[in-house]
Amino acid sequence: MRPIRPGDQGTAVREIRAVLTGLDLLAPADGRTSCDEFDADTERAVRAFQQSRGLSADGRVGEETWRALDAARWRFGARTLYHAVPEPLIGEDVRSLQERLLEMGYDVGRADAIYGIRTSRAVAQFQREVGLKPDGSCGPHTMGALRRLGRKVVGGRPQWLRESDAIRQSGPTLVGRTVVVDPGHGGTDPGVVVPDGLLRWTEADLVHDLASRLEGRLAAAGVRVQLTRGPAPRTCLPDTDRAQLANSLGADVFISLHADRHANPAAEGVATYHYGTDNGVTSATGERLAGLVQREIVARTGLRDCRSHAKAWDLLRLTRMPAVRVEVGYLTSPADRGRLVDPRFRDRVAEAIVAAVQRMYLPIERDVPTGSIDVSELRAAVAAGRVPN
């Protein structure tokens, strides 16, 4: 869909304003304001909504923001929740339920606002423990029990402990793991495009080259690697489809590569993103991987450190494995662009990401200083049949 932006009018704008008004982010239309007009107040409300949901706060309503607004219509308690096949229930009420169960210590996986089988099983477990019929649906009696009970787990983050233990149990080696590498954009969407004299640099081309270099280094370390697209696809794969591809492959790690842009050419640096919401619910292993990737790239390339951040983008929310999005510099910055177009720089970024993935699987007590892993030694060990244990 074409993004709905300031100045637009119509039925879609009326629906957007109705949801924002229901969330107390926008005052009801009066005689001076048309409920069909995307005015400045609506733009501010959209930005506030996007910020609260961990989305890009650009003030426009694209597909991702539209889905989030549609989900926000549902408040917890407004309907009975259950596992529906093949179209699962989706909504803010589902996410509220998942977050409540997570803080009580139940395993719903990621709080993705989708009432899937894992959420249904967690609800059934809760129902058994409080003496309700364990049917996996969340109706008035289950909602009442959830409201009456306090936290089940205190003094820690149960999801962090659960995910960390799963990583520890899987062992330190990269051999045999599956990593999906996602070069952003492609096809009809070139991403950031910057003319540079007689040249024309595009984000889609540069990140695909970076993804290919990363693919080679991971494969040499014994990893099964899948790219989400080739160098010149006819169309751009939606983020939801990229996440579904990673899930269908049973990937262990998902890494999405992008370059950033800004109207101010002085904006520069690298930033990484992992799944997380405004109330502290996060992918624990995704958060750790994002931090490792961030530190390794900064140490090995000298890019400005723009830190790691939690976001609820579809790409991060819908993937079931540790997932990060990496913005490897600003293509609109002359300094960063000079680095990005250098193949040797892209080699260093690829090696930094390999080192970060390896460190994620090392036990905390065996972790090594940032920048100290020699990726060529990992390749040599695999070639010689020496697998870390």
Side-chain angles (χ1 to χ4, degrees):
M1 62 176 285
R2 181 186 73 81
I4 302 170
R5 51 174 65 103
D8 287 349
Q9 295 181 339
T11 303
V13 175
R14 185 187 307 136
E15 293 182 20
I16 292 167
R17 289 181 58 94
V19 175
L20 295 172
T21 300
L23 296 172
D24 295 327
L25 294 173
L26 183 65
D30 54 28
R32 296 167 296 175
T33 304
S34 169
C35 61
D36 292 347
E37 182 182 353
F38 200 125
D39 58 9
D41 289 338
T42 306
E43 181 186 6
R44 283 192 290 271
V46 168
R47 289 182 184 273
F49 174 80
Q50 292 169 324
Q51 186 72 30
S52 70
R53 295 308 190 275
L55 304 175
S56 299
D58 58 8
R60 301 182 299 170
V61 180
E63 291 186 10
E64 197 164 35
T65 299
W66 181 269
R67 284 194 293 270
L69 283 165
D70 187 57
R73 300 173 190 269
W74 296 104
R75 301 291 185 92
F76 187 62
R79 58 176 175 171
T80 295
L81 301 173
Y82 56 92
H83 181 218
V85 178
E87 296 293 334
L89 296 181
I90 299 174
E92 197 66 22
D93 52 349
V94 178
R95 190 178 78 159
S96 296
L97 169 64
Q98 291 170 326
E99 292 175 352
R100 181 77 174 106
L101 289 168
L102 280 171
E103 73 175 10
M104 295 177 72
Y106 295 96
D107 182 11
V108 301
R110 190 161 296 177
D112 57 8
I114 302 172
Y115 204 102
I117 186 63
R118 203 163 173 179
T119 300
S120 179
R121 288 172 177 165
V123 170
Q125 181 184 353
F126 169 77
Q127 290 168 325
R128 278 192 296 270
E129 293 182 3
V130 297
L132 297 174
K133 180 182 178 180
D135 59 6
S137 64
C138 187
H141 295 296
T142 302
M143 292 176 189
L146 284 165
R147 291 189 177 104
R148 287 193 299 271
L149 296 180
R151 288 173 58 101
K152 181 179 178 182
V153 177
V154 295
R157 294 162 60 186
Q159 190 66 9
W160 166 264
L161 297 173
R162 190 179 293 117
E163 292 183 11
S164 298
D165 185 64
I167 290 290
R168 177 184 291 271
Q169 293 295 328
S170 68
T173 180
L174 294 182
V175 175
R177 299 191 188 276
T178 299
V179 173
V180 172
V181 179
D182 172 45
H185 307 281
T188 54
D189 177 14
V192 185
V193 179
V194 178
D196 187 8
L198 298 177
L199 301 175
R200 178 176 176 270
W201 302 108
T202 69
E203 177 186 1
D205 291 341
L206 287 170
V207 297
H208 184 270
D209 178 85
L210 173 57
S212 298
R213 294 168 190 269
L214 178 57
E215 177 187 25
R217 284 162 175 77
L218 285 169
V223 176
R224 294 189 293 266
V225 187
Q226 174 70 50
L227 267 59
T228 58
R229 68 170 176 89
R234 287 183 295 179
T235 60
C236 180
L237 195 66
D239 283 352
T240 52
D241 290 354
R242 296 174 196 242
Q244 179 56 41
L245 173 62
N247 292 339
S248 66
L249 292 171
D252 297 292
V253 173
F254 180 89
I255 299 168
S256 186
L257 302 172
H258 290 258
D260 216 334
R261 77 176 88 193
H262 199 279
N264 184 348
E268 61 180 45
V270 56
T272 55
Y273 300 88
H274 61 89
Y275 174 72
T277 64
D278 58 335
N279 62 354
V281 174
T282 185
S283 165
T285 50
E287 182 179 5
R288 179 164 186 249
L289 177 59
L292 291 170
V293 169
Q294 181 72 17
R295 294 195 294 275
E296 288 287 346
I297 291 178
V298 169
R300 294 169 187 259
T301 67
L303 282 171
R304 181 184 296 275
D305 185 1
C306 296
R307 305 187 182 279
S308 58
H309 310 272
K311 289 290 181 181
W313 295 323
D314 286 345
L315 197 69
L316 304 175
R317 179 175 63 88
L318 299 176
T319 42
R320 301 193 192 109
M321 67 293 302
V324 298
R325 170 168 165 164
V326 190
E327 297 281 354
V328 192
Y330 284 75
L331 200 52
T332 48
S333 158
D336 280 2
R337 185 166 66 250
R339 297 182 176 104
L340 283 165
V341 301
D342 182 351
R344 294 169 297 181
F345 172 84
R346 298 197 293 276
D347 282 338
R348 292 198 297 275
V349 173
E351 293 188 353
I353 295 174
V354 174
V357 174
Q358 174 63 84
R359 287 181 64 190
M360 185 184 73
Y361 285 104
L362 294 176
I364 298 296
E365 63 273 11
R366 289 180 51 191
D367 196 11
V368 296
T370 298
S372 65
I373 289 181
D374 187 338
V375 174
S376 63
E377 291 184 1
L378 293 178
R379 296 196 296 268
V382 171
R386 302 192 308 272
V387 178
N389 51 44

